């Protein structure tokens, strides 16, 4: 168990539907960066593409293998989502890849119908809790942020994070909902967003950030706009929950 973890958020301009170009960009961004966990945006190697028949990979395709290689090289966990084909269906699948080659997956539950994601991808059906170094993580994807019951904490979750492609047009909602999720669940909360402009004309402003369990922003320990570094403290989290034991009153039926 580690009382303290360093978490690196990567926010960068994703090259549209070009995994190899994104692999090269990511390796340049993380050169020399040390962290326990690296969090990358939604569909990190393709952008938010609605042509899964063109960009989707098999379950353990090139993008997964790239994350696995980085995890081993950096001795750190890597997490991002990838468009994946499984059987005759497509999923927006999040992978958590640890350096010991243990991995977890989560298929995005809430598909962004406003952009037609539900017409191209199939929804997931269950949340996944990821144990790592004595911490419990709840990994979620973009639009999931708008649904508080899906993010609800039964007291076992220490860190919630959302990998996203969240556009500038609704970034005020992102800025509002992330601290709300941290405060209502009394846990650390991270939002990972991309920058730049995609081929559909959507502009992404970044705004990646980490929040403490009381809804206040964590200090960014990096001066690099493409890599944001945050430190989380288990003892501090436990002390806050002990002082304010609100989670014991959560509606269990929900």
């Amino acid at each position: 168990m580690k009382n303290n973890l360093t978490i690196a958020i990567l926010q960068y301009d994703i090259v549209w539907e070009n995994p190899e170009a994104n692999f090269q960009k990511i390796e340049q961004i993380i050169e020399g960066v040390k962290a326990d966990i690296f969090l990358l945006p939604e569909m990190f190697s393709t952008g938010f593409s609605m042509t899964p028949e063109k960009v989707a990979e098999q379950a353990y395709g090139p993008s997964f293998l790239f994350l696995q290689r980085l995890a081993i090289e950096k001795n750190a966990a890597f997490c991002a989502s990838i468009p994946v084909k499984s059987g005759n269906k497509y999923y927006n699948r999040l992978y958590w890849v640890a350096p010991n080659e243990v991995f977890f997956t989560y298929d995005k539950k809430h598909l962004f119908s406003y952009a037609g994601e539900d017409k191209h991808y199939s929804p997931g059906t269950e949340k996944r809790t990821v144990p790592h170094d004595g911490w419990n993580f709840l990994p979620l994807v973009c639009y999931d942020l708008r649904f508080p019951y899906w993010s609800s904490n039964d007291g076992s979750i220490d860190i919630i994070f959302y990998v996203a492609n969240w556009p500038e047009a609704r970034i005020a909602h992102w800025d509002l909902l992330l601290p709300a999720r941290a405060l209502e669940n009394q846990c650390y909360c991270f939002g990972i967003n991309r920058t730049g402009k995609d081929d559909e004309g959507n502009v992404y402003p970044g705004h990646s950030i980490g929040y403490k369990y009381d809804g206040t922003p964590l200090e960014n320990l990096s001066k690099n706009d493409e890599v944001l570094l945050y430190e989380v403290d288990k003892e501090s989290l436990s002390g806050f929950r002990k002082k304010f034991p609100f989670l014991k009153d959560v509606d269990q039926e929900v």
Side-chain angles (χ1 to χ4, degrees):
M1 174 178 173
K2 291 185 178 179
N3 185 65
N4 296 83
L5 294 175
T6 300
I7 296 179
I9 292 177
L10 274 59
Q11 59 170 19
Y12 57 94
D13 185 358
I14 300 174
V15 182
W16 187 250
E17 297 182 349
N18 190 334
E20 284 299 328
N22 288 305
F23 297 164
Q24 293 177 21
K25 177 177 286 193
I26 291 163
E27 292 201 86
Q28 292 173 358
I29 291 172
I30 66 173
E31 185 175 1
V33 177
K34 294 183 179 180
D36 297 295
I37 299 166
F38 288 79
L39 304 177
L40 286 69
E42 178 183 23
M43 295 196 186
F44 84 101
S45 59
T46 62
F48 191 58
S49 173
M50 293 300 101
T51 56
E53 64 281 357
K54 176 182 176 183
V55 301
E57 302 178 3
Q58 295 300 314
Y60 310 112
S63 293
F64 169 81
L65 294 175
F66 173 73
L67 295 176
Q68 189 175 58
R69 176 171 64 80
L70 290 184
I72 295 170
E73 291 177 357
K74 287 285 190 179
N75 191 32
F78 276 73
C79 186
S81 89
I82 303 166
V84 168
K85 183 177 183 180
S86 180
N88 60 353
K89 294 183 178 181
Y90 298 102
Y91 296 92
N92 186 344
R93 180 166 294 172
L94 181 148
Y95 284 92
W96 172 289
V97 186
N100 60 357
E101 300 189 14
V102 170
F103 66 91
F104 295 86
T105 65
Y106 161 70
D107 291 333
K108 185 179 182 181
K109 163 69 172 175
H110 298 96
L111 300 177
F112 191 42
S113 57
Y114 184 75
E117 185 180 14
D118 59 322
K119 294 179 174 61
H120 303 283
Y121 294 88
S122 296
T125 58
E126 59 181 322
K127 295 194 292 186
R128 292 295 304 269
T129 300
V130 177
H132 185 80
D133 282 341
W135 295 70
N136 286 325
F137 293 78
L138 177 61
L140 297 170
V141 181
C142 203
Y143 193 41
D144 287 332
L145 177 60
R146 290 187 179 272
F147 302 91
Y149 292 142
W150 194 244
S151 304
S152 62
N153 188 0
D154 63 1
S156 65
I157 304 301
D158 303 307
I159 298 176
I160 298 174
F161 65 88
Y162 303 84
V163 303
N165 276 205
W166 198 285
E168 185 175 57
R170 292 174 295 281
I171 201 65
H173 302 174
W174 171 266
D175 293 338
L176 179 67
L177 292 171
L178 284 169
R181 297 293 166 266
L183 180 59
E184 69 194 9
N185 290 300
Q186 289 192 307
C187 64
Y188 289 101
C189 182
F190 292 89
I192 304 91
N193 196 26
R194 63 162 293 181
T195 59
K197 185 177 182 180
D198 67 21
D199 275 24
E200 302 298 325
N202 298 300
V203 177
Y204 303 92
H207 284 226
S208 300
I209 192 169
Y211 287 97
K212 294 173 64 176
Y213 35 78
D214 61 359
T216 59
L218 284 163
E219 179 187 1
N220 174 18
L221 304 176
S222 170
K223 295 181 180 179
N224 184 341
D225 289 340
E226 292 184 310
V227 180
L228 311 180
L229 291 175
Y230 299 96
E231 185 172 284
V232 295
D233 181 341
K234 189 69 171 289
E235 186 175 339
S236 176
L237 170 63
S238 299
F240 183 81
R241 288 179 174 176
K242 184 176 181 179
K243 184 177 181 180
F244 302 104
F246 303 146
L247 291 177
K248 70 180 180 63
D249 298 322
V250 170
D251 296 318
Q252 295 303 315
E253 65 270 20
V254 174

